[in-house]
Amino acid sequence: MRGELIRVLSEIEEKANELKLDGYNPDVVVMGREAYEFVKTLANEEFGGDEELLELSGLKVRIVDELGGDALIMDSRAVGFEARAIRRIKVVR
Amino acid sequence: MRGELIRVLSEIEEKANELKLDGYNPDVVVMGREAYEFVKTLANEEFGGDEELLELSGLKVRIVDELGGDALIMDSRAVGFEARAIRRIKVVR
């Protein structure tokens, strides 16, 4: 389980770093419903409690159910204007 | 006030049609916090009541606060993979 949590956090960080290298300021990770519940369960198993996920790797967590098991890492000021201001990862394999 | 509501709905529909012409299936409008509150106020003024906004122009409404006064119209399955699967509009002028 811990391995999966580490995998997801590293992938988020990797994409955030890609955005920074492109000159963006990643500030939000938008998660699908399944992706959110998956990571929330892992985090609560790891740290105990039944907390909601507010931040991951320093990025604010938001939910857009329709993304399902995936998540988008984005710079909220540039996304939709510039194609490279967003990345997508598969959270639930 | 009605004019503003019509403007926003038409802009959402225009972007959704652009996505369809590009072969996408727009299904979600992701609104910033100010954008959401702005349209919700207009809609409740127009139709009475104090309802939350669940759908606009046939698209599911989701909120990502950080988008502020703007909104993203997207195909949730393609966004993040394909640059053209997302459009942005200014809701609050």
Side-chain angles (χ1 to χ4, degrees), chain B residues 15-33:
Chain B
K15 296 305 181 188
N17 289 334
E18 280 179 25
L19 286 170
K20 286 175 194 162
L21 285 173
D22 278 357
Y24 294 111
N25 174 31
D27 55 345
V28 178
V29 52
V30 182
M31 306 186 82
R33 176 56 58 187

Side-chain angles (χ1 to χ4, degrees), chain B residues 40-93:
Chain B
K40 182 183 154 188
T41 305
L42 290 175
N44 286 323
E45 271 169 18
E46 188 65 28
F47 305 110
D50 185 24
E51 306 294 325
E52 292 303 317
L53 290 179
L54 301 180
E55 282 198 17
L56 285 176
S57 304
L59 306 177
K60 285 275 194 298
V61 173
R62 303 295 176 199
I63 300 171
V64 169
D65 289 1
E66 290 73 9
L67 293 169
D70 288 4
L72 299 171
I73 294 94
M74 63 173 69
D75 175 336
S76 64
R77 273 167 297 277
V79 63
F81 293 129
E82 298 176 39
R84 303 277 302 154
I86 188 169
R87 297 293 193 282
R88 186 170 185 143
I89 62 170
K90 188 162 276 309
V91 171
V92 181
R93 290 255 169 106

Side-chain angles (χ1 to χ4, degrees), chain A residues 50-85:
Chain A
D50 185 25
E51 306 294 326
E52 292 303 317
L53 290 179
L54 301 180
E55 283 198 15
L56 284 177
S57 304
L59 307 177
K60 285 274 194 298
V61 173
R62 301 295 176 200
I63 299 171
V64 169
D65 290 1
E66 291 73 9
L67 293 169
D70 289 2
L72 299 171
I73 294 94
M74 64 172 68
D75 175 336
S76 64
R77 274 168 295 278
V79 64
F81 292 129
E82 299 176 40
R84 303 274 306 150

